[in-house]
Amino acid sequence: MILIVDDKTENIFSLTHLLESKGFLVDSALGGEEALKKVLKQNYALIILDVQMPLMNGFEVAESLRGFSKTKDIPIIFLSAINVDKNYITKGYASGAVDYLTKPVDPDILILKVKVFYRLYEQNLQLIQTELRLKKEIESRKQAQIELKDRVKDLHTILESLPQIAFKATSNGVITFVNNHWYKYSQAAHDFPQQYPGYIPISEKFNECIKSQTILEYEVKIKNLATGLYRFHLLRIIPVFDNNILKKWVGTFTDIEDQKQIEQKKDEFMTIASHELKTPLTSIKGYIQLLDRISETIENKKVGTFIDKTQDQVRKLESLISDLLDISRINNGKLQINKNYFNLEEVINNVIYTIEQTHTDNKINIVRVGDIFEENIYGDAIRIEQVLINFLTNAIKYSPGSDLIYVKTKLDLDCVIVEVEDFGIGISEENQNYVFNKFYRVKESALNFQGLGIGLYICSEIIQEHRGSYGVKSKLGKGTQMYFTLPLK
Ligand code: ADP
């Protein structure tokens, strides 16, 4: 808006008319005082100021305007009827005016000048706004940088406070931060701790996971620099993404040496205990067989029944001990598998027969369904028999209310599938993932059914040794299907 300041209404009228006809917004004041009041309330792009006014002349008004920060930059065009005298013009410019016109005003010149000033005003306004925006942007960037620095500091403090060795690396694997524990195992911040001779260097493993952008988790054996001893650690390196873009890696080494040693001691104990148990058990078996023979001469029928029951229990004990022995063999990497060509059909029939003979007191109905195998399979018949016996005894044990069990067989393109289906208590979905783990027993049923939770683990190891697969499908309360596959070639 343009402010016209003149003490004569007719001048204001003609100027207003002229400017409005060119599309400008116009306001007016009849004297200096009114003008000063108005400029403080309103924003003006330009002031057209008459010099000769009573009370306060144009120069005095201009001087006052230059005194306020709000108005000091508003351009002024002085209008004066006085002859162009150099003194007047100088005075006008000294009070901050930007231009000076003498009356009678040439309307074209006035409009030209007003247009120039108006454009300047608008450009100035834009500049001010841009400057403001830039200032804001700089401020917010500064703030973001401070926040980022704080976050990095927080992360470093957290990593420093961990009891583990911790580090941070760029997306391409350059280590940028290590905590104090790092230096117990490595001399330099950019070098990973040294692995036990023969183990894959950590940097090599890390490079693989940088390529795949996936979490790295594996056990390493690294050298403590002070003692010179190697200790087992669990190394975990996780990728940190921002908007799906890999930003960095954060890793920790957790000392698991003590757990490893306890585990090893437990394994050793199990090996010794199961070996020690085996010797007296063999003697017991021998004596029971002798008793069995003698019992034929004894009239009391009960003696024979008791001997049968004892034999039954001894068989269970024997199977437990042999499972424990298997576990220690697996731990030592010495599970014996003697592969040969064998007839799977015969093995299945033998197992069904044995189970039927040894479970005479519970009524069971084992039904064989599916393809009959003509071809011989390459593997360890005794171990496959062990897997099937395990599946079937579980099917009987975990189906107290049902006697029907299916043994299903199917010939696939490159493998055979053997499945044992029962209609017992079933296994919930979340537990299905773990039943093949060592010592895993489903908590809800563990109290009602005896066991050690090692049978399925041994089965999984045997099947893996045969390069087959295994699994479970089950519905809680409905029943379970346990299966394994064996490759045909
Ligand atoms: P165990 O039977 O000695 O506990 P296993 O390794 O043979 O050990 O089985 C592990 C767990 O899987 C069992 O404790 C049981 O909870 C569950 N399980 C195995 N087979 C069945 C089945 N047929 N029906 C229901 N649960 C089963």
Side-chain angles (χ1 to χ4, degrees):
M1 196 182 307
I2 299 169
L3 179 65
I4 302 166
V5 189
D6 205 311
D7 56 330
K8 294 189 184 69
T9 39
E10 61 274 21
N11 285 352
I12 288 180
F13 180 78
S14 64
L15 269 179
T16 304
H17 183 71
L18 173 69
L19 292 172
E20 281 181 346
S21 70
K22 298 292 171 193
F24 292 106
L25 282 175
V26 180
D27 195 5
S28 60
L30 273 166
E33 265 183 39
E34 193 187 344
L36 289 175
K37 274 184 202 157
K38 285 203 162 179
V39 289
L40 291 177
K41 283 189 203 148
Q42 268 280 0
N43 288 329
Y44 296 101
L46 172 69
I47 298 171
I48 298 173
L49 194 53
D50 182 27
V51 175
Q52 283 84 30
M53 289 187 296
L55 300 173
M56 214 178 178
N57 71 31
F59 302 133
E60 286 166 338
V61 177
E63 256 173 42
S64 303
L65 287 173
R66 298 295 173 234
F68 300 121
S69 64
K70 184 181 180 234
T71 56
K72 71 179 178 14
D73 293 321
I74 306 175
I76 299 168
I77 298 176
F78 283 110
L79 296 183
S80 171
I82 294 174
N83 265 346
V84 190
D85 177 330
K86 205 176 160 193
N87 254 349
Y88 274 113
I89 296 178
T90 325
K91 205 168 180 194
Y93 281 105
S95 56
V98 182
D99 219 328
Y100 200 96
L101 284 176
T102 49
K103 290 180 186 174
V105 174
D106 178 335
D108 291 337
I109 302 244
L110 179 71
I111 290 298
L112 265 178
K113 289 194 185 247
V114 166
K115 274 187 181 164
V116 169
F117 283 127
Y118 215 91
R119 211 169 36 244
L120 272 175
Y121 166 79
E122 279 174 341
Q123 282 170 354
N124 200 25
L125 216 64
Q126 266 174 12
L127 270 176
I128 291 169
Q129 277 168 357
T130 314
E131 195 185 330
L132 266 177
R133 251 203 327 273
L134 278 174
K135 265 190 189 159
K136 258 192 195 162
E137 172 122 11
I138 290 169
E139 267 314 303
S140 72
R141 280 189 188 195
K142 265 191 198 162
Q143 194 55 36
Q145 243 170 3
I146 291 172
E147 277 167 19
L148 193 70
K149 260 192 191 164
D150 281 352
R151 285 228 300 271
V152 171
K153 217 167 123 189
D154 281 355
L155 176 63
H156 288 182
T157 316
I158 293 168
L159 293 182
E160 205 60 79
S161 69
L162 289 178
Q164 288 109 320
I165 302 168
F167 67 96
K168 230 175 71 182
T170 59
S171 57
N172 52 359
V174 179
I175 299 171
T176 52
F177 173 84
V178 295
N179 69 358
N180 263 329
H181 299 300
W182 179 272
Y183 295 104
K184 291 182 200 157
Y185 288 84
S186 172
Q187 266 154 353
H190 50 268
D191 286 336
F192 275 115
Q194 189 191 329
Q195 272 263 63
Y196 192 76
Y199 279 51
I200 304 170
I202 296 167
S203 51
E204 218 171 281
K205 278 269 186 188
F206 187 26
N207 281 339
E208 280 169 27
C209 94
I210 289 172
K211 274 186 210 143
S212 60
Q213 303 203 341
T214 47
I215 294 181
L216 175 69
E217 184 172 309
Y218 83 117
E219 287 179 8
V220 294
K221 204 174 175 186
I222 52 174
K223 191 179 182 178
N224 184 299
L225 297 179
T227 61
L229 299 173
Y230 287 87
R231 289 181 74 84
F232 266 109
H233 282 73
L234 178 70
L235 169 62
R236 283 197 95 223
I237 313 182
I238 48 169
V240 181
F241 293 96
D242 189 6
N243 280 332
N244 283 333
I245 297 168
L246 178 63
K247 287 289 172 192
K248 56 177 168 256
W249 297 89
V250 179
T252 52
F253 290 82
T254 309
D255 192 324
I256 50 166
E257 181 64 26
D258 294 343
Q259 283 128 279
K260 277 266 167 193
Q261 288 202 2
I262 292 169
E263 218 171 281
Q264 202 178 335
K265 285 210 178 92
K266 183 201 70 197
D267 289 345
E268 278 168 16
F269 169 77
M270 255 170 47
T271 314
I272 294 166
S274 39
H275 269 291
E276 291 300 313
L277 286 169
K278 224 179 149 187
T279 323
L281 188 70
T282 316
S283 309
I284 293 171
K285 259 175 79 181
Y287 284 121
I288 292 175
Q289 270 162 12
L290 279 178
L291 255 179
D292 196 25
R293 257 179 252 152
I294 299 168
S295 73
E296 286 162 14
T297 59
I298 300 172
E299 271 190 26
N300 193 336
K301 288 263 170 5
K302 275 190 179 161
V303 175
T305 322
F306 290 153
I307 288 172
D308 282 350
K309 283 195 189 297
T310 315
Q311 266 175 336
D312 215 29
Q313 294 304 318
V314 167
R315 257 196 298 274
K316 279 188 185 159
L317 198 57
E318 200 177 26
S319 135
L320 263 176
I321 292 169
S322 93
D323 274 359
L324 283 175
L325 268 172
D326 276 348
I327 286 274
S328 45
R329 283 185 193 124
I330 291 170
N331 290 339
N332 298 326
K334 289 183 201 148
L335 183 70
Q336 264 186 347
I337 305 277
N338 300 315
K339 287 186 186 167
N340 257 312
Y341 281 100
F342 71 94
N343 187 320
L344 184 63
E345 197 55 45
E346 251 174 54
V347 168
I348 294 173
N349 290 332
N350 274 348
V351 169
I352 295 177
Y353 179 74
T354 312
I355 294 283
E356 280 168 347
Q357 292 309 303
T358 46
H359 289 80
T360 43
D361 38 355
N362 355 24
K363 269 214 287 158
I364 45 164
N365 177 14
I366 303 175
V367 182
R368 172 72 206 278
V369 200
D371 303 331
I372 303 291
F373 303 124
E374 306 294 348
E375 285 177 73
N376 278 344
I377 300 273
Y378 188 66
D380 187 332
I382 295 174
R383 289 293 183 186
I384 297 300
E385 199 174 290
Q386 187 180 349
V387 173
L388 256 175
I389 288 180
N390 226 303
F391 280 14
L392 277 165
T393 41
N394 273 351
I396 297 167
K397 181 159 78 170
Y398 296 106
S399 307
S402 151
D403 56 5
L404 179 63
I405 292 166
Y406 286 117
V407 176
K408 294 180 178 172
T409 47
K410 193 169 170 240
L411 208 52
D412 222 359
L413 274 183
D414 54 356
C415 69
V416 290
I417 307 165
V418 183
E419 183 182 286
V420 174
E421 179 174 12
D422 65 59
F423 301 89
I425 60 169
I427 306 165
S428 68
E429 216 164 295
E430 71 250 34
N431 281 313
Q432 286 171 28
N433 295 326
Y434 307 108
V435 287
F436 286 91
N437 288 2
K438 192 163 39 167
F439 300 121
Y440 190 83
R441 306 204 69 221
V442 174
K443 233 197 274 161
E444 294 77 24
S445 55
L447 276 180
N448 302 331
F449 303 92
Q450 283 181 344
L452 292 178
I454 51 177
L456 288 183
Y457 169 68
I458 296 169
C459 294
S460 71
E461 288 288 324
I462 293 172
I463 298 300
Q464 278 177 57
E465 286 289 334
H466 283 80
R467 303 198 177 281
S469 59
Y470 55 87
V472 56
K473 289 175 256 172
S474 185
K475 270 218 163 95
L476 201 60
K478 295 260 190 274
T480 302
Q481 292 148 270
M482 290 275 174
Y483 69 87
F484 67 84
T485 71
L486 290 174
L488 282 172
K489 286 191 184 115

